């Protein structure tokens, strides 16, 4: 109550009357004026009234034929009375409230945590499509809907939580763990050829070999059977066939290499430009214009942090380099050397487990370039475990 | 929902007197202040007159139909319509 009175402001006054102030008090109560701390005194009664109601006391005072003398004024309105001549302060306070309320209707920051294999950039892009980005309005925001859409868009997410706290959005997610391969120990397996070739070496650990060294095999042919016959006790048993079957195989790799290669090269000095992004609105900080013609863009975006919190301010640095297309011509020897390098790389990627025994290159030339065909003779394991069903057919 | 019922007397008259020890008295249904000094507060109360006698009496709050008398209250007297209050001693009710 005291605080309220101080906020509203109050006045203590003296009732000057030769007859006492009872009539004045009754006039005040009839007029609906609330008085408090009414104290009798030798010079007359004193009482307190709200600062705004002091002027209203004139009428009851006239009716009761008393005069009022102000003794003390107190409260917030009197403290700030000297600021009445500065409307800018009130306008500033009002503007502050309006800006505060206005900015509260937008998202300021979006913080994402828990990304492992999914790029954070992709999550941000998906959120932006749903209207969640610095500078976007909060109107119609539904955390549940956003969570559902994120789960639909990224099947690798096992759990996601979207929470808004004021103008900040926190996205926490957990990605699915890759299921470890389960070794199937049950059932029967046979070894089949995955590549045609001539068998040159066999190492059988379990099962019965169906081919011999020197045999030619085709893809899908049975190499080792899971059925093992015991001749002494006259019964047959099924095993998990295991082993390696090394065969001499043939492969062909082809690489085309043109004589002319088009590439871009700098055609002038680079231009560096900076921009400040506030709520997604870019404000240029440089006056330089971009170079004419084709340009190559590179740069970086740096978010401004305050006390470990990302602000909706981003400084963008962009380097624009004018480029032009040039054609580099190569001789046949240069093209061949380049093709050989590419073939070596291709061998490693396409035939990872094969040991190259022999290779022969054939070069064909036309107007545009050369085609190098490499025929390889390799030694590699061609056996592959294939599970079979109970009736003996591959599962 | 049924609200608790008020005592029938209060509902009829609208007047209520509440004492907090002998230091404070809250009066609802006050019809006006008749006399007010440091030692005596006399008010119109219903169809009669209510008088508080004591020392250092102040009107803590004064509103249209209620007031709070605070101080050291020594005597409360009530006179119905047509009756007279007992006269105060010569010193104006001041207790020795």
């Amino acid at each position: 109550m005291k605080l309220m009175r101080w906020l509203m402001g109050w006045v203590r006054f003296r009732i000057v009357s030769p007859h006492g102030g009872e009539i004045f008090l009754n006039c005040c109560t009839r007029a609906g004026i609330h008085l408090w701390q009414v104290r009798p005194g030798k010079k007359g009664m004193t009482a307190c009234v709200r600062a705004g109601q002091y002027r209203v006391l004139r009428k009851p005072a006239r009716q009761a034929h008393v005069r009022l003398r102000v003794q003390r004024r107190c409260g917030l309105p009197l403290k700030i009375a000297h600021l009445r001549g500065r409307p800018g302060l009130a306008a500033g306070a009002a503007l502050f409230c309006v800006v505060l309320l206005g900015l509260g209707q937008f998202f300021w920051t979006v913080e994402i945590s828990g990304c492992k294999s999914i790029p954070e950039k992709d999550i941000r892009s998906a959120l932006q499509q749903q209207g969640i980005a610095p500078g976007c309005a909060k109107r119609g925001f539904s955390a549940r809907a956003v969570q559902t859409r994120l789960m639909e868009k990224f099947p690798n997410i096992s759990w996601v939580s979207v929470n808004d706290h004021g103008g900040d959005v926190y996205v926490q997610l957990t990605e699915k763990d890759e299921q470890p391969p389960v070794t199937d120990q049950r059932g029967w397996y046979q070894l089949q050829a995955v590549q045609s070739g001539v068998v040159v070496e066999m190492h059988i650990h379990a099962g019965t070999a169906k081919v011999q060294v020197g045999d030619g095999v085709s893809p899908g042919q049975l190499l080792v059977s899971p059925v093992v016959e015991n001749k002494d006790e006259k019964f047959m048993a099924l095993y998990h066939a295991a082993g390696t079957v090394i065969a001499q195989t043939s492969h062909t790799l082809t690489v085309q290499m043109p004589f002319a290669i088009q590439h871009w090269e700098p055609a002038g000095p680079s231009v560096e430009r900076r921009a400040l992004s506030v709520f997604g609105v870019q404000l240029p900080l440089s006056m330089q214009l971009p170079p004419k013609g084709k340009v190559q863009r590179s740069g970086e975006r740096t978010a401004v942090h305050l006390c470990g919190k990302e602000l909706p301010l981003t400084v963008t640095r962009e380097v624009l380099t004018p480029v032009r297309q040039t054609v580099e011509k190569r001789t046949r020897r240069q093209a061949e050397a380049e093709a050989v390098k590419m073939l070596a790389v291709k061998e490693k990627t396409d035939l990872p487990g094969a040991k190259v025994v022999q290779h022969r290159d054939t070069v064909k030339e036309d107007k545009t370039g050369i085609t190098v065909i490499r025929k390889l003779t390799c030694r590699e394991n061609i056996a592959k475990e294939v599970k079979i069903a109970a009736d003996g057919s591959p599962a | 929902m049924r609200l608790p019922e008020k005592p029938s007397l209060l509902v009829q008259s609208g007047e209520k007197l509440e004492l907090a020890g002998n230091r404070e008295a809250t009066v609802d249904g006050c019809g006006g202040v008749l006399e007010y000094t440091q030692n005596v507060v006399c008010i119109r109360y219903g169809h009669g007159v209510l008088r508080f006698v004591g020392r250092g009496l102040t009107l803590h709050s004064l509103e249209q139909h209620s007031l709070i008398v605070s101080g050291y209250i020594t005597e409360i007297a009530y006179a119905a319509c047509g009756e007279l209050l007992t006269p105060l001693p010569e010193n104006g009710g001041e207790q020795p």
Side-chain angles (χ1 to χ4, degrees):
Chain A
M1 182 66 88
K2 278 186 179 177
L3 177 67
M4 281 302 295
R5 283 173 183 168
W6 185 82
L7 288 173
M8 301 295 286
W10 54 270
V11 178
R12 174 166 280 282
F13 60 94
R14 182 182 299 283
I15 304 160
V16 182
S17 164
H19 322 291
E22 287 88 350
I23 300 169
F24 172 74
L25 295 181
N26 293 331
C27 290
C28 286
T29 53
R30 264 183 238 121
I33 300 165
H34 178 212
L35 302 175
W36 68 90
Q37 297 290 343
V38 186
R39 292 173 188 157
K42 288 178 182 174
K43 294 180 181 176
M45 287 183 203
T46 57
C48 295
V49 71
R50 218 173 66 207
Q53 283 191 319
Y54 183 73
R55 288 187 178 182
V56 190
L57 292 178
R58 284 178 189 168
K59 194 180 173 186
R62 217 168 28 244
Q63 286 173 346
H65 302 290
V66 297
R67 299 177 78 178
L68 306 178
R69 294 276 181 274
V70 175
Q71 283 197 312
R72 191 184 168 195
R73 296 167 194 265
C74 203
L76 182 66
L78 300 164
K79 295 270 183 197
I80 60 170
H82 64 283
L83 300 176
R84 278 180 195 164
R86 298 182 180 181
L89 285 171
L95 188 66
F96 170 77
C97 293
V98 169
V99 170
L100 192 68
L101 286 171
L103 290 179
Q105 304 302 313
F106 296 92
F107 290 121
W108 279 56
T109 60
V110 179
E111 288 187 22
I112 300 167
S113 61
C115 287
K116 285 179 186 171
S117 62
I118 304 171
E120 192 179 314
K121 194 180 163 188
D122 292 359
I123 301 279
R124 279 190 190 279
S125 165
L127 287 169
Q128 194 163 10
Q129 284 172 7
Q130 295 174 44
I132 300 173
C136 291
K138 284 164 74 176
R139 204 172 180 181
F141 169 74
S142 165
R144 193 177 288 269
V146 173
Q147 286 170 16
T148 310
R149 282 180 203 142
L150 278 179
M151 295 280 281
E152 283 171 358
K153 187 155 189 177
F154 300 95
N156 281 349
I157 294 176
S158 66
W159 172 84
V160 64
S161 157
V162 180
N163 296 302
D164 65 320
H165 182 76
D168 304 326
V169 179
Y170 300 95
V171 180
Q172 290 175 303
L173 58 95
T174 309
E175 293 182 18
K176 284 179 186 170
D177 291 328
E178 202 172 312
Q179 191 177 4
V182 180
T183 310
D184 189 3
Q185 297 293 342
R186 294 175 300 172
W188 305 297
Y189 285 81
Q190 62 187 16
L191 298 185
Q192 285 183 353
V194 291
Q195 176 77 33
S196 60
V198 179
V199 178
V200 291
E201 206 176 320
M202 293 179 73
H203 303 282
I204 309 300
H205 307 307
T208 308
K210 292 293 181 184
V211 291
Q212 293 178 351
V213 173
D215 287 358
V217 293
S218 57
Q221 186 177 338
L222 179 64
L223 300 175
V224 180
S225 168
V227 182
V228 178
E229 186 181 354
N230 191 327
K231 288 180 180 173
D232 297 333
E233 298 182 10
K234 292 183 179 173
F235 72 91
M236 295 170 80
L238 283 165
Y239 289 93
H240 185 136
T244 54
V245 177
I246 309 295
Q248 188 168 309
T249 57
S250 298
H251 297 278
T252 306
L253 300 177
T254 306
V255 167
Q256 284 186 330
M257 193 58 64
F259 289 134
I261 296 177
Q262 293 181 340
H263 63 92
W264 298 91
E265 65 175 22
S270 300
V271 173
E272 187 178 319
R273 299 202 307 169
R274 288 173 193 274
L276 182 70
S277 178
V278 185
F279 282 119
V281 179
Q282 284 220 336
L283 306 169
L285 300 176
S286 308
M287 300 302 288
Q288 287 173 309
L289 294 169
K292 287 180 181 175
K294 299 272 185 186
V295 291
Q296 185 186 21
R297 290 170 189 270
S298 62
E300 56 190 5
R301 301 185 80 181
T302 312
V304 180
H305 288 78
L306 181 68
C307 302
K309 201 172 182 69
E310 190 181 324
L311 297 178
L313 295 173
T314 313
V315 179
T316 309
R317 181 180 157 273
E318 188 181 41
V319 178
L320 302 172
T321 310
V323 289
R324 65 176 168 215
Q325 198 172 34
T326 55
V327 178
E328 187 191 353
K329 289 191 175 177
R330 291 184 292 199
T331 60
R332 177 182 164 134
R333 184 173 289 179
Q334 285 173 330
E336 268 186 45
E338 193 68 29
V340 168
K341 277 184 192 173
M342 286 183 71
L343 280 168
V345 173
K346 213 171 178 183
E347 265 182 39
K348 285 181 183 173
T349 52
D350 292 3
L351 309 166
K355 184 182 174 185
V356 179
V357 178
Q358 193 184 358
H359 71 88
R360 192 161 56 91
D361 292 345
T362 309
V363 182
K364 287 181 182 175
E365 187 181 344
D366 57 9
K367 287 179 183 176
T368 56
I370 57 165
T371 306
V372 181
I373 303 163
R374 175 170 286 184
K375 290 193 174 175
L376 298 156
T377 306
C378 306
R379 285 168 70 104
E380 59 182 312
N381 181 20
I382 59 165
K384 182 192 174 188
E385 286 184 358
V386 177
K387 191 176 184 180
I388 57 171
D391 59 354
S393 61
Chain B
M1 197 177 79
R2 193 176 170 188
L3 293 169
E5 291 180 0
K6 285 184 176 180
S8 57
L9 275 173
L10 282 179
V11 174
Q12 284 171 7
S13 59
E15 286 111 24
K16 185 179 164 189
L17 172 63
E18 193 176 312
L19 286 171
N22 68 336
R23 295 287 180 178
E24 192 175 276
T26 307
V27 184
D28 283 337
C30 168
V33 182
L34 301 174
E35 185 185 357
Y36 177 37
T37 62
Q38 277 190 342
N39 304 317
V40 180
V41 175
C42 197
I43 59 171
R44 187 174 292 131
Y45 188 61
H47 295 293
V49 176
L50 187 65
R51 186 177 69 193
F52 295 90
V53 182
R55 294 194 293 274
L57 299 180
T58 58
L59 296 179
H60 192 69
S61 172
L62 180 62
E63 288 179 77
Q64 198 164 6
H65 294 295
S66 69
L67 62 84
I68 299 170
V69 181
S70 60
Y72 190 83
I73 301 167
T74 56
E75 186 187 321
I76 300 172
Y78 177 72
C81 184
E83 293 179 1
L84 289 172
L85 285 167
T86 51
L88 289 169
E90 286 299 318
N91 55 4
E94 203 167 328
Q95 301 294 319

